[in-house]
Amino acid sequence: MTIRETDRALREFADEVGAADPVAVAGSRTAWTVGGELVGHARIVSAPRGIVSVQSEEMTVHVRAGTTVAELDAALAEHGQRTALPDRGGTVGGALMVGQNDLRVGGRGRVRDSLLQMRYIAAAGDVIMAGAPTVKNVSGFDLPRLFIGSLGVLGLVSEVVLRTNPLPRCSRWVCADGVDPFVAHDHLYRPACVLWNGTRTWVQLEGHPHDVEDQIRLLSSLGDWHITEELPELPPYRWSCTPRDLRTLPSLVKTRFVSVIGVGTVLCDQPQPGGTVPAAVAELTRRLKAEFDPTGRLNPGRNPLRSGAWT
Amino acid sequence: MSCLFPRGRSNRSVRPDPDDALVRRLRSALGQERVKSDAAERIVMATDGSLIESGVAGPVCFPASTDDVQAIVRIAAAHGRSVVARGSGTGLAGGAVPLGGSIAVVMTRMNRILEVDLDNRVAWVEPGVINLDLTRQLLPLGFHFAPDPSSQQACSLGGNVSTNAGGPHCLAYGVTSAHVVAVEVVLADGTVVVLGGLDAEPGGLDLRGAFVGGEGMLGICTRIAVRLTPNPPVVRTLLIGFDSVAGAARTVSAIVGAGIVPSAAEIMDRGITQAIENFVHAGFPLEVEAVLLVEVDGLPAKVAADAERIAAIADEFGAGVVRVAGEDERQRLWQGRKAAFGAVAQIAPSYYLHDTVVPRSRLAEVLQQTYEIAERHNLAVVNVFHAGDGNLHPLLLFDPREDDSLARVHAAGAAIVRASLAVGGSLSGEHGIGVEKREYMDLMFGPDDLDHQSRLRRGFDPHCRLNPGKVLPSPHSCADLQALNSTPAGAWG
């Protein structure tokens, strides 16, 4: 089944969104204030729910945006698959529109690379399709990537085709105190995740059981590692840094932090110091918003430029 | 075409360049030697690696810096002229063919690897760097650049960004967009902006993601930060022979269905395999109908288990030959695979290479259709393609000296496109739309869908001055038509 086949749920959602007044889409509201609070009197709508099809031989899943990530994960697990979307209690549409990766991005891949095709309700109320349901496609401009992290200000995503990947045969967390997390990261071949809180390092290894054992043995030359299921509590504020920035993080941050080595994401007890949005980026964003939503009716108040490191 | 000088004037036999003023300004900004306006240069820049009819190039500029590109774009805007950036000109969809006298901006002199940043696992490069040169520089450091198009010995990274290029190893590693973290871009008004960043999750819209694959219509990239991919510790390549192309295709679908993601899975039919063997003697078996070259990489136990399972699956689908290649043989086999298009000269005077994508599970069916379509149009066809991601590359063989041959090739190509779309596929997997597939876009997208693609374009380039006339079919690219019509009368006639 291709995404082009209009179904009743999509049509009903389009009718609900309409074409005139301000409207905002709510998923599970787990990231409700990212990019700013809603302003004015926007009607709240919810995207349709449900998994349309899982095609593990294509490494794709066709799912409606209002489906929770947990429900998607459970359905895919039955087929030995998973997606890059993080499960933080939210919906598929929410995860895509916020665009933040799972901390285990090394194993799961990036959200921005996972959206193959989408249908969304445009500001004028029409249903738009972009992308293709195949794992490879360069037919036209890449609207799916533009929409990831857009907070629903360009269109209201209603259903998507996502790339999936096989679940690993084995997954283990190990941790150790007092080791250099950067050396540990560089010691390994594409670890799923390396977390560091300034004193303790956690490493997630995935793959064939023998490879996981071998990688754990490899780490033993760096410290005293043990298998764990206890992961660090994550502070509330998300930072976006370069991988190199993490080396100097302890001298900059005086509160709790957990950083993702090799990636640059940091969870911290304090907000990231705000940066300045380059004028040309702001202007491009303004022009795109004006093209896709000339009257500003979609998720009014949300601003992608107020998410991430420019908060 | 109008003549700029009244008849009867004594100097009428010396036709002045209608772009004299434009060329003077460009030379003033870039220097005399880096702006060419002679016919030979313009003819070379009027085409690319495709069979698309030559366009009409205006002055040809060879910038050496971002400032140069900015100056060209500003001068072009002041003269109301469009601009087409190009790298090595290896594109196969006519994306770099200038339409309507566009200024050609040739990026080949911006070919430096500026920085290899191992801490952040990125390299900053200029767009004229050749794909394979970057990987050769990175390999001793333990890394490589994952996208590896067949043209990687010649194609430039700027071109890879423009087309969101792929290659055999994109099955596991992803296409170019997954390997570009930031781009410095000169926009149509001359503004210089960096899209994306080296940090984990750059804020705002993913303008970088929108830019990659923009076919030079959203801006001109002048620096690129590419992701470095660690070299796998173990690589194993299996050479598998089948007595039918369908058997090879069904094997690939079953491999992926079994939860294995090979780093590459390439199928070659008998016709192309024989041509390759005659050309480079790579060591492919000649007694089979199809060869499946499948590669797995990573840590040792996973590679061994995947290779064993793949061999077993191939056996279930009737594989006659299964061989694990040693390192030397592996190099030869890949050299052979990437020489496939060059090898076609052994069997036909010319060929038309198509690029469509189909769901993996429909590969066998659509492949069979490509043979039938070719036969119906009295053409020979050979197939060599990225089976792992369903990316078909039928090569329609023809002799251009035959009067109606190109018409039959185009008709067969259109039928292959329709067959691919009919099973839920895509117009292009890695070559792009360019001019070649522009008028097929409405087979895949409705008018409203195309209108929204046009909105993205206008957001970046409101006056459609960058590479006008590409990707979007004519009713959806009105501003492009205006840009094309702004060429001064008599220019490059």
Side-chain angles (χ1 to χ4, degrees), chain A residues 4 57-58 101 120 129 136-139 141 145 163 186 190 211 238 240-241 243-244 287 291 304, chain B residues 117 120 171 173 177 199-201 204 301-302 360-361 391 426 428 430 444 449 452-453 455 458-459:
Chain A
R4 214 182 220 300
E57 75 280 7
E58 301 297 339
N101 293 319
Y120 60 93
M129 185 193 73
K136 205 173 191 185
N137 168 51
V138 292
S139 305
F141 299 121
R145 276 199 169 81
R163 177 173 174 149
D186 291 349
R190 304 181 76 181
D211 289 330
R238 193 177 179 102
S240 178
C241 305
R244 182 191 288 137
R287 290 207 303 245
E291 285 286 348
Chain B
D117 175 354
N120 287 320
L171 171 55
Y173 292 102
S177 186
D199 57 318
E201 289 164 342
K302 175 249 182 196
R360 232 177 254 112
S361 54
N391 192 180
S426 165
S428 175
E430 55 186 15
M444 185 167 166
D449 307 334
H452 273 233
Q453 293 203 25
R455 288 167 192 257
R458 289 199 305 265

Side-chain angles (χ1 to χ4, degrees), chain A residues 2 4 57-59 100-101 110 112-113 120 122 126-129 131-143 145-146 150 154 163 166 185-186 189-190 208 210-211 215 238 240-244 247 263-265 280-281 284-285 287-288 291-292 304 307 310, chain B residues 117 119-121 163-164 171 173 177-178 191 193 198-207 214 217 227 231-233 256 259 261 298-302 357 359-361 386 389 391 424 426-430 432-433 441 444-446 448-449 452-453 455-456 458-460:
Chain A
T2 69
R4 214 182 220 300
E57 75 280 7
E58 301 297 339
M59 293 184 4
Q100 292 172 348
N101 293 319
R110 284 173 287 276
R112 286 182 171 177
D113 298 328
Y120 60 93
D126 38 358
V127 178
I128 304 297
M129 185 193 73
T134 49
V135 292
K136 205 173 191 185
N137 168 51
V138 292
S139 305
F141 299 121
D142 201 339
L143 284 169
R145 276 199 169 81
L146 180 69
S150 67
L154 304 177
R163 177 173 174 149
H185 178 268
D186 291 349
Y189 175 69
R190 304 181 76 181
H208 191 284
H210 295 170
D211 289 330
Q215 295 272 290
R238 193 177 179 102
S240 178
C241 305
T242 70
R244 182 191 288 137
R247 292 179 185 274
V263 176
T265 301
V281 169
L284 274 176
T285 304
R287 290 207 303 245
L288 287 163
E291 285 286 348
F292 283 86
S307 66
W310 292 326
Chain B
D117 175 354
D119 269 355
N120 287 320
R121 294 201 173 178
T163 56
N164 196 8
L171 171 55
Y173 292 102
S177 186
T191 304
V193 59
L198 306 193
D199 57 318
E201 289 164 342
L205 299 175
D206 186 6
L207 301 172
M217 299 170 74
R227 200 181 296 283
N231 299 336
V256 176
V261 185
L299 293 166
K302 175 249 182 196
V357 188
R360 232 177 254 112
S361 54
H386 311 312
D389 34 34
N391 192 180
S426 165
L427 279 176
S428 175
E430 55 186 15
I433 300 300
M441 283 285 275
M444 185 167 166
F445 299 104
D448 293 340
D449 307 334
H452 273 233
Q453 293 203 25
R455 288 167 192 257
L456 188 155
R458 289 199 305 265
F460 276 86

Side-chain angles (χ1 to χ4, degrees), chain B residues 470-487:
Chain B
K470 310 292 169 61
V471 178
L472 297 169
S474 37
H476 299 277
S477 52
C478 299
D480 284 63
L481 294 178
Q482 286 173 7
L484 294 173
N485 290 335
S486 66
T487 310

Side-chain angles (χ1 to χ4, degrees), chain A residues 175-184 195-202 219 221-226:
Chain A
C175 69
D177 291 329
V179 301
D180 183 330
F182 301 96
V183 173
L195 301 176
W196 180 54
N197 69 356
T199 55
R200 177 168 288 190
T201 302
W202 291 260
L219 283 173
S221 64
L222 303 177
D224 185 17
W225 297 84
H226 60 273

